[in-house]
Amino acid sequence: MRYLRGKKIGIIGLGNMGSAILNGLISSRAVGKAALIGFDKEPARRAGARKKYSIPISRSVSELVTHCDIVIIAVKPQNIGEVLKEISFYGKGRLYISIAAGITTRRIEKALGGKPRVIRVMPNTPALVGEGISALCKGRYASKSDLKTADEIFSSVGEAVELNEKYFDLVTALSGSGPAYFFYLKEALIGAAVRLGMDNKTAKKLVLQTALGSARLLLESGHEHGLLRQHVTSKGGTTERAIAVFEKAKIKETVARAVRAAARRSKELSRD
Ligand SMILES: NC(=O)c1ccc[n+]([C@@H]2O[C@H](COP(=O)([O-])OP(=O)(O)OC[C@H]3O[C@@H](n4cnc5c(N)ncnc54)[C@H](OP(=O)(O)O)[C@@H]3O)[C@@H](O)[C@H]2O)c1
């Protein structure tokens, strides 16, 4: 972990994502526990993190920032204003990494004042099990090595890709909201099986393993999804019959409309 060596990392906000990142950094051994420090405004969350991860917990944002080289901001977008305000008084010269959905690097730079080094990241919830995908972009004053630093952090909870910030609304609509689309499809498949007489537990097992197996096959075979789909679609067979129903219902167009709607909503929610 070349870029993290010798760096002290602070995480503000120890909820779902903050804890997932903490967990990833510790379990992947990207850094030692002595290099980590956390803070959450919720006393129960602070106590929980101290007990679970045995890392030092600060009493305030300002205390955390003064002890760190890298500060990960993992609070909800509606709380980021108060965090940035406190940081702007105490924390010049650090690398700031924000995962707050819809909050642009420009907005963070403006709130911090001066020429702060800011990286924006859009992770997703599979990060909770080390299988996330995170998009990363840098603000105006961050360097390429700052991006590499963030890449090392988010690679500890899955994959990381660098992307121009102009795509972040689309990333939010695709991989940010994406897990929910797959869960929705699973709900639909399980529901269909139950309606046709199968018990819920068996249907769930069949559908979940099919999802996991299909994703692994796609990743490990090196084949395109179109080809793999053809492999299970023999002429006149069952899959062909099902796909014909999807095509008639214009499912691809519906999916495209849904992603466009999510990206539009992300744009509405983000403010400079
Ligand atoms: N979950 C996702 O799928 C996902 C995906 C991509 C990006 N994100 C982004 O990740 C961020 C965190 O999401 P999450 O799901 O982890 O939220 P969460 O579970 O609510 O965690 C946020 C934590 O930050 C605490 N907090 C609020 N204000 C604070 C402050 N001023 N100082 C310190 N701690 C403070 C919250 O305490 P209270 O509960 O008391 O407010 C809460 O414990 C969000 O900005 C979200 O947009 C989430």
Side-chain angles (χ1 to χ4, degrees):
M1 287 293 155
R2 185 173 151 210
Y3 292 91
L4 296 180
R5 199 169 300 137
K7 302 269 171 56
K8 189 110 182 170
I9 305 170
I11 303 179
I12 301 173
L14 300 170
N16 294 315
M17 278 295 164
S19 323
I21 297 164
L22 196 51
N23 200 47
L25 285 168
I26 294 170
S27 56
S28 68
R29 297 175 195 268
V31 291
K33 285 187 181 184
L36 294 164
I37 181 163
F39 173 69
D40 195 293
K41 74 173 179 190
E42 194 62 51
R45 286 242 163 91
R46 289 204 293 272
R50 189 183 286 118
K51 192 163 171 231
K52 186 165 179 199
Y53 302 110
S54 316
I55 58 156
I57 301 291
S58 295
R59 281 163 298 185
S60 64
V61 166
S62 51
E63 189 188 86
L64 177 139
V65 166
T66 52
H67 286 99
C68 292
D69 307 290
I70 303 163
V71 178
I72 301 172
I73 306 168
V75 301
K76 291 270 188 214
Q78 63 267 29
N79 297 117
I80 199 168
E82 64 202 60
V83 171
L84 294 176
K85 195 168 173 197
E86 204 171 340
I87 290 176
S88 70
F89 288 119
Y90 299 95
K92 302 272 183 254
R94 279 41 173 196
L95 169 61
Y96 294 101
I97 302 178
S98 162
I99 63 165
I103 309 291
T104 61
T105 53
R106 191 160 284 239
R107 179 160 169 220
I108 298 168
E109 288 164 354
K110 256 197 231 164
L112 293 177
K115 293 183 172 179
R117 290 148 57 215
V118 176
I119 301 282
R120 179 179 171 194
V121 180
M122 186 65 201
N124 66 1
T125 48
L128 296 168
V129 291
E131 293 288 354
I133 175 82
S134 303
L136 278 61
C137 71
K138 68 181 198 67
R140 277 175 296 174
Y141 311 112
S143 64
K144 283 208 167 117
S145 112
D146 292 332
L147 255 182
K148 298 263 187 216
T149 304
D151 188 295
E152 283 188 355
I153 294 173
F154 287 86
S155 293
S156 77
V157 288
E159 300 276 329
V161 288
E162 190 198 329
L163 216 57
N164 189 304
E165 193 166 11
K166 71 180 181 194
Y167 295 115
F168 266 53
D169 290 318
L170 181 52
V171 169
T172 306
L174 204 59
S175 52
S177 303
Y181 309 156
F182 287 101
F183 299 144
Y184 185 82
L185 181 60
K186 285 183 192 108
E187 263 173 59
L189 287 170
I190 293 166
V194 169
R195 241 179 289 149
L196 290 168
M198 188 177 281
D199 68 279
N200 190 63
K201 197 173 159 210
T202 311
K204 203 169 153 189
K205 188 166 182 174
L206 289 169
V207 170
L208 290 196
Q209 185 56 32
T210 301
L212 183 68
S214 307
R216 284 195 59 189
L217 185 61
L218 195 52
L219 282 170
E220 290 172 23
S221 70
H223 294 317
E224 284 298 316
H225 45 81
L227 182 68
L228 289 174
R229 180 158 70 79
Q230 274 173 31
H231 284 170
V232 268
T233 315
S234 42
K235 211 149 183 56
T238 56
T239 315
E240 189 186 69
R241 196 61 70 83
I243 299 282
V245 176
F246 287 149
E247 293 281 296
K248 193 159 180 231
K250 297 192 183 332
I251 295 297
K252 281 186 180 163
E253 283 91 330
T254 307
V255 169
R257 274 209 309 283
V259 172
R260 204 177 308 124
R264 212 179 297 125
R265 183 62 184 144
S266 170
K267 206 177 187 63
E268 281 166 18
L269 293 172
S270 75
R271 311 169 290 265
D272 264 333

